[in-house]
Amino acid sequence: MADVIFFDLDGTLVDHRSAVWETIGQIIQAAPNATAPPEELAALWWTLEARHMREYLAGQCSFAEHHRRRVRSFLPMLGESVPESPGLLDAWISERYLAVFEAAWQCYPDVQPCLETLKRLPRGPRLAVLTNGDPGQQRAKLARFGLLEYFEAVLTPAELGAAKPVAYAAACRWMRTDPVQAVNVGDMLESDVNAAALAGLTGVWLDRGVDFVTGGPSPTAAETVLRIERLTELPEHVSRTNA
């Protein structure tokens, strides 16, 4: 029986990848002195995001500093000088990146129907978000699309003291549930599904047809992996489990 369902956020509830590409595309278009083709610059930004996000999750820097590190590496490729002041870097991030990025957020259309159906189940599970993102930014995404009301908790490394995949045990303790009664739903096969299974949870792979990291085709999963293509398929699985 599923007592708690944890949902990943980026790539599962909100289309993070499309928002990044939209934002970086606008920044590159407004950079007449860029030193590389647009495709190469966009790929570089994505690589830098992954690198410095790992540093943030490892506790090597703050969330704000992970943004600064990314921009310090990226600005020379735009043909722009790098400000020495952290305040000037923060201003660039706020004005040139975050303003556009936040405006480009989109909620997947299958999210609210799924959550509404789960809420109406007679013996429905409790719901929580489990994400490696910054708590303020992630709650802002959920609030933007009216999703906060569906979740008992929004859990990040700030609350749990660890990031996924290490955070699964801590998330279950936070929600006062046993891992065998918990489900984790996410778009990343390794960190959201296989790692959750190793921690004793049931992992459900939301295969949206694209690899979140590479942008290429989805990876190949073992036959034993529970796979769905739309979140609206999830309540049926939960109903069978909780029958």
Side-chain angles (χ1 to χ4, degrees), residues 99-222:
V100 181
F101 175 60
E102 292 174 4
W105 290 341
Q106 293 184 47
C107 181
Y108 291 107
D110 55 0
V111 173
Q112 195 152 13
C114 167
L115 298 177
E116 279 290 331
T117 302
L118 288 172
K119 186 173 71 172
R120 292 195 298 267
L121 290 178
R123 302 174 64 192
R126 297 177 292 141
L127 308 181
V129 171
L130 179 56
T131 169
N132 282 347
D134 172 72
Q137 188 177 78
Q138 300 301 67
R139 286 186 173 86
K141 291 174 186 176
L142 295 167
R144 166 84 62 84
F145 301 110
L147 302 180
L148 275 173
E149 65 182 80
Y150 294 101
F151 298 106
E152 185 173 314
V154 179
L155 303 176
T156 75
E159 288 81 18
L160 301 176
K164 293 184 290 186
V166 178
Y168 289 115
C172 288
R173 288 194 296 271
W174 186 286
M175 295 296 293
R176 306 173 306 283
T177 193
D178 191 283
V180 298
Q181 294 182 297
V183 174
N184 190 71
V185 183
D187 64 297
M188 297 185 71
L189 181 59
E190 286 304 318
S191 60
D192 289 326
V193 181
N194 293 341
L198 285 174
L201 293 77
T202 298
V204 177
W205 182 29
L206 175 61
D207 180 8
R208 292 200 179 276
V210 61
D211 185 283
F212 182 85
V213 176
T214 68
S218 298
T220 301

